[in-house]
Amino acid sequence: MIIFEPSQSSTIMTKIKDIIEYLETFAPPAYQEDYDNSGLITGDHNTEIKGIIITLDCIEAVIDEAIRKNCNLIISHHPIVFRGLKKLTGQNYIERTVIQAIKHDIAIYAIHTNLDNISMGVNKKIAGQLGLTNLKVLRPKNDTLNKLTTFIPKENTEDVMSKLHEAGAGVIGNYKNCSFRLEGTGTFLPVENASPTIGNVGQLEKVNEDRVEVIFPAYLKNKILDALFKAHPYEEVAYYLHQLANLDHNVGSGMIGDLAEPMDSRDFLNHIKVRLNTSMIRHTALIKKEIKKVALCGGSGSFLLRDAIGQLADIFISGDFKYHEFFDADNHLIIADVGHFESEQYTKELIYELLSEKFANIALHFTEVNTNPIFYA
Ligand SMILES: [Zn+2]
Ligand SMILES: [Zn+2]
């Protein structure tokens, strides 16, 4: 009779949702662009992981590879499903990929523009590859910050604040537990049916309170309010929420930084070729003799050209520039189109580094499939 057989594996089993939750603490889904489809595309959050394949693109050959390597989760930068699928008959590569994944119980998870839009994400990886310093997000995202103002009886302030900080409030750049406090008097008159923590029904009460202000990422609103209501001693918590016009400089598109020493522009193009492992760069006239300030964006970054010019970059490195967009360099800077795949190829390493720090027990594989659909003759 077996009563209890502790299998070692059951104690260290990791589920898909553990991986997703962890990755999304770095790259919250709220930071993806409106058009995007980051997240779990096929599969079940509660499935235990056998092995993971990390890839830039999830195509049929990557599903075949997952089957061969006994992996049941594919983490892909680009979502295989971008628009709605109305049929699943295998008429095109998207439908075939999804069908194969579902048939073989393979989960596909995409971590796309949310990984592009964080300061330690895709673009930092490229900047690191090129040896840039003084990194800043090129175009910080709007409307990512909220402010909570609340009123706490003095003896409860520390406790409530520690719960709010735990939930993620009060982080500004490299500082945490940031808040502003002002002492004052709160007044209230509990009426019928109230059960006040302090005072009595029908009597005006005056309480020594702290007015506290704290900033937080907008996507944490429900978590922060939940923490406030749980920790605050009052039956009715007084608070205000404000949306801030302030920019969070750790969230947004593209990146800008400096080379430690200026580099001759032709030498710099060669440097890009070596460091981004590419044989070809399409670029505009080398109107700058030397390169010092470099703007970049992994993938399709032409929408950021104005920002790169505005911040006086000598060169803007990205992919997917169209013919007419090259004219927009307009003697302000050099556009260097290194290719979409080439610019984002180190995203696989980024995902690997994040996961290997935390999940040492899981088999992590880089895809061996070259998913770049573009060849150079
Ligand atoms: Zn990207
Ligand atoms: Zn991309």
Side-chain angles (χ1 to χ4, degrees), residues 77-78 112 299 340 344:
H77 182 48
H78 298 133
H112 188 213
H340 191 130
E344 294 200 302

Side-chain angles (χ1 to χ4, degrees), residues 56-57 77-79 82 112-113 116 122 298-300 320 340-341 343-344 347:
L56 201 62
D57 307 281
H77 182 48
H78 298 133
F82 234 117
H112 188 213
T113 50
D116 289 316
V122 172
S300 303
D320 290 348
H340 191 130
F341 177 90
S343 70
E344 294 200 302
T347 306

Side-chain angles (χ1 to χ4, degrees), residues 169-183:
V171 178
I172 303 177
N174 294 325
Y175 295 82
K176 59 182 221 174
N177 295 11
C178 305
S179 71
F180 182 78
R181 303 175 188 191
L182 195 64
E183 205 177 325

Side-chain angles (χ1 to χ4, degrees), residues 101-285:
I102 293 170
K103 266 189 186 168
H104 292 90
D105 275 331
I106 291 169
I108 303 173
Y109 172 73
I111 184 163
H112 188 213
T113 50
N114 44 333
L115 194 59
D116 289 316
N117 283 342
I118 52 167
S119 60
M120 44 76 70
V122 172
N123 294 314
K124 186 176 178 199
K125 199 75 194 155
I126 304 168
Q129 203 63 25
L130 296 174
L132 305 182
T133 56
N134 303 330
L135 299 178
K136 282 192 320 188
V137 168
L138 186 56
R139 185 196 287 177
K141 216 170 162 55
N142 289 318
D143 302 331
T144 58
L145 291 171
N146 283 1
K147 189 183 81 166
L148 169 71
T149 306
T150 188
F151 307 86
I152 314 168
K154 249 195 132 17
E155 61 271 24
N156 298 95
T157 302
E158 290 310 329
D159 182 44
V160 174
M161 290 313 293
S162 76
K163 297 288 170 15
L164 290 177
H165 292 320
E166 241 170 64
V171 178
I172 303 177
N174 294 325
Y175 295 82
K176 59 182 221 174
N177 295 11
C178 305
S179 71
F180 182 78
R181 303 175 188 191
L182 195 64
E183 205 177 325
T185 305
T187 70
F188 50 85
L189 196 154
V191 295
E192 206 182 333
N193 295 329
S195 39
T197 314
I198 300 171
N200 299 302
V201 170
Q203 279 177 20
L204 182 69
E205 195 63 41
K206 291 184 178 176
V207 181
N208 196 11
E209 292 180 346
D210 282 324
R211 174 194 165 111
V212 179
E213 299 179 37
V214 68
I215 205 167
F216 63 89
Y219 76 92
L220 290 178
K221 187 175 95 181
N222 291 342
K223 195 176 168 196
I224 300 281
L225 286 181
D226 201 42
L228 173 68
F229 297 148
K230 278 197 182 121
H232 199 290
Y234 285 179
E235 185 181 24
E236 294 293 345
V237 180
Y239 69 96
Y240 310 126
L241 280 181
H242 290 102
Q243 184 162 46
L244 301 183
N246 306 38
L247 297 174
D248 180 345
H249 288 274
N250 288 314
V251 181
S253 316
M255 195 150 266
I256 187 160
D258 298 315
L259 285 169
E261 293 295 329
M263 206 184 264
D264 172 81
S265 53
R266 191 154 290 283
D267 291 346
F268 185 63
L269 289 182
N270 285 325
H271 173 72
I272 301 175
K273 278 164 113 174
V274 173
R275 303 310 301 264
L276 298 186
N277 189 27
T278 179
S279 57
M280 199 201 73
I281 297 174
R282 298 192 304 152
H283 63 89
T284 55

